[in-house]
Amino acid sequence: MPDISVVKNVLASQQVETPSWGYGNSGTRFKVFSQPGVPRTPFEKLEDAAKVHEFTGITPKVSLHIPWDRVEDYTALAKFAAERELKLGAINANVFQDDDYKLGSVCHPDPAVRRKALGHLLECVDIMDATGSSDLKLWFADGTNYPGQDDIRGRQDRLAEALNTVYERLGDDQRILLEYKFFEPAFYTTDVPDWGTAYAHCLKLGDKAQVVVDTGHHAPGTNIEFIVATLLREGKLGGFDFNSRFYADDDLMVGSADPFQLFRIMHEVAKNGGLDPATGVAFMLDQCHNIEAKIPAVIRSVMNVQEATAKALLVDSEALTAAQAEGDVLEANAVLMDAYNTDVRPLLAEVREELGLNPDPIAGYRSSGWAEHITETRADGQQAGWGA
Ligand code: PSV
Ligand code: MN
C-alpha cells in the first residue's frame, strides 16, 4: 500500500496554476453575464488569485493572456504578484482576435499577416522576460473552413517557420507549450488539430518545446490518458489546460463532467513521474465561469484536481503491477477502482490543516468577507472580460 506520509507530501507540494481570465466575465457567443465584484484590471485579477491561493495553499502561479492582460509595466505587475505571494505563470499569446486573422495568423497566406502574428509572439517572450515567466503557451485558431481554401501542407510549413523563429528567441529557462484543438473556430482543417501534429512540431524544435493537453480539446470518446502516458514517455508533456466538457470546448470546471476521466489522467501522470516538479508538467486551469461565482469556482476546480491526484496516489501500484503481470484483468481493474472509490476528502482536510489552512477552502473563502468587499469596492468602472 502507498505510504500515506509520502502521499501527503506530494499533495502538499503539488501546484495548480489559475488563469487570469477565469476571474473576469465570460460567456458564450449568445451572452456574457456580468457578476458583482469582477476585477477591472489585471491587478485586481491577481488580488482574486491571491485569495484562491490563501485558501487552497497550492495556487501560487497565475497565467496571463495578452492582450487581455496588457499593462504598461510588466515588472510592476510581477512585483504586485510577489507582494501577494504569487508568481506570474504562462504567458498565453493571442493571435485570434484581430480582423487581420480571418484566414489565420502564422499560417495566413499573406506574409504581412504572418509577420504581424510573429511579432506578437515575440512580444510575448519580451513580456516573459519582464515577468519572469518560463512558459509561452501557443494556441492557434488557424485553419480553413472549406476544402480547397488553402494548401494544407503549405500552412504546416508556415507554422514551422514561425515556431522556429520564436524558439530561437527563447531564453535558457523558457519553453514553448504548444496546444492543440481539433476544431473551432475552423471547421474543415485546423493547423494544430491533435497531439500528433503538436508533437511532430515540438520534436523538430527541440527540448524547449512541449505539448499542452487541454482536456476540452478532443473529440468525444478520445482516450486522453493514453495521450498523456505517451507524451510523458517521450518527455514531451509540457502541461495541462484543465477544464471539463460535455459537448465541445465547454470550459466548465475540471472534474465536474467526468471525475473518473480526470482520475484516469492523474493516474497516468502519477505513475509516469509527472508529479515530480523536475518533470516540469504545468497543471494549469483554462476555464470560464459564466454562470457560477468565479472565485469559489476556481477553488472548487483546484479541489477537484487535488481529489483526483489523491486518488491516483492511493493506487496500490505493487498490487496493480502484480495483477497486470499475472494477466488478472479483474484484479487489476479492482485495484484501480478501489483507489478511485476512496473518499479522499478527509485526507485532503488533514493535508490542509498541516499546511495551516482551513480544511474546507470553500467555507473559509465564504466567511472571509472577500466577496462582499469586492462587490462594494469594485462597483464602478469597466469589468474585465473574456476578450477584453
Ligand atoms: C482555445 O480554445 C483555448 O483553450 C486556448 O488555450 C486559449 O488561449 C484559451 O482557450 C482562451 O480561453
Ligand atoms: Mn486551452
Side-chain angles (χ1 to χ4, degrees), residues 19 21 64-65 68 92-94 96 137-141 179-181 183-185 212 214 216-217 241 243 249 251 286-288 386:
W21 55 100
L64 302 183
H65 218 294
W68 303 343
N92 288 252
N94 182 328
F96 49 87
K137 178 130 57 77
L138 300 179
W139 172 72
F140 298 104
E179 180 177 350
Y180 60 90
K181 169 166 159 172
F183 89 113
E184 196 203 23
V212 166
D214 183 314
H217 287 187
D241 262 5
N243 51 57
D249 188 17
D251 281 345
D286 177 9
Q287 304 184 161
C288 294
W386 187 91

